[in-house]
Amino acid sequence: MGGLGKAVQGPRRLRRPAAAALLLCGALTLTACNGDDGADAGAAGTGPGASPASPSAAAPASATPAGAAPAASAAAPSKKPAPAPTATAPAKPAPPAPGPACASKDAVSPNEIAVYRYTPEGGQYSLIVKRGHWACPVPGGTTPFVTVGEETYIPIAEDAEIGAHAPILSGSTNKPITTHELTSWLETHPNKGLVFHYDVNKAGVIETLGQEEYTL
């Protein structure tokens, strides 16, 4: 029995150094781990007192304000629609002719007379005429010759130069006729009021009755 008790105590002495070694190893391991954690925390900058980086400082500054249009679109040329073509107004017809511009009511043309009839009294042919002036043109018609005053007479030379067209002659081109041809036509067609441009000599006798101009 005494031998067995010694044998039991023997192993208990051997366990104490092992327990101490385990304790020492655990302390060393804990110290080493705490040291590594501190170094890692300092390197990462996450230790106590360290402030995180500001988001505004880390974000890059924007060169274009929010909502602003890109520079390329601002510089692009604007496209405007082409103007619609305008209708061309029709050309107005030219004022009728012959005759000068319309005159006042008191004006009398010095070179035109309206011939109505003739008379052979006194042994010489005389034309019964009225003086007058050109009125304003009639829209769509001719320029009328307005007579002024009473009928009067002017002698005409037998060899006077006379030019006539319709209704005395056919056509619209003036052709020469004699004084006798003129008086013969006036005898059968009185009061037509043919307007002629005329000239007189020093004695006041018509020597030129040129260019029949208008029929009243």
Side-chain angles (χ1 to χ4, degrees):
M1 294 295 291
L4 182 59
K6 292 181 181 180
V8 171
Q9 293 178 355
R12 288 180 181 177
R13 293 192 186 109
L14 291 175
R15 291 174 182 174
R16 290 179 181 176
L22 291 175
L23 292 175
L24 180 60
C25 180
L28 292 176
T29 303
L30 180 61
T31 302
C33 291
N34 290 338
D36 293 341
D37 293 342
D40 293 341
T46 58
S51 59
S54 174
S56 62
S62 176
T64 304
S73 61
S78 60
K79 296 181 179 180
K80 295 182 179 180
T86 56
T88 304
K92 295 182 178 180
C102 55
S104 64
K105 293 182 179 180
D106 298 332
V108 175
S109 174
N111 301 113
E112 279 90 12
I113 54 174
V115 179
Y116 291 89
R117 297 178 305 278
Y118 84 99
T119 178
E121 293 181 3
Q124 186 178 15
Y125 291 113
S126 294
L127 301 180
I128 300 174
V129 302
K130 276 188 176 182
R131 301 186 184 274
H133 63 267
W134 294 104
C136 296
V138 177
T142 57
T143 304
F145 186 83
V146 179
T147 58
V148 177
E150 301 294 331
E151 289 183 350
T152 186
Y153 68 91
I154 304 175
I156 182 171
E158 292 186 4
D159 59 350
E161 296 181 3
I162 305 172
H165 55 73
I168 298 176
L169 300 177
S170 60
S172 58
T173 303
N174 269 2
K175 298 176 183 179
I177 61 173
T178 64
T179 301
H180 178 70
E181 289 175 322
L182 174 63
T183 56
S184 297
W185 189 88
L186 291 174
E187 187 174 352
T188 57
H189 303 83
N191 301 321
K192 292 297 183 180
L194 303 182
V195 179
F196 286 90
H197 184 280
Y198 76 102
D199 293 304
V200 297
N201 56 22
K202 293 180 180 180
V205 177
I206 296 175
E207 61 181 3
T208 303
L209 197 65
Q211 191 177 356
E212 178 191 347
E213 295 178 343
Y214 185 72
T215 302
L216 295 178

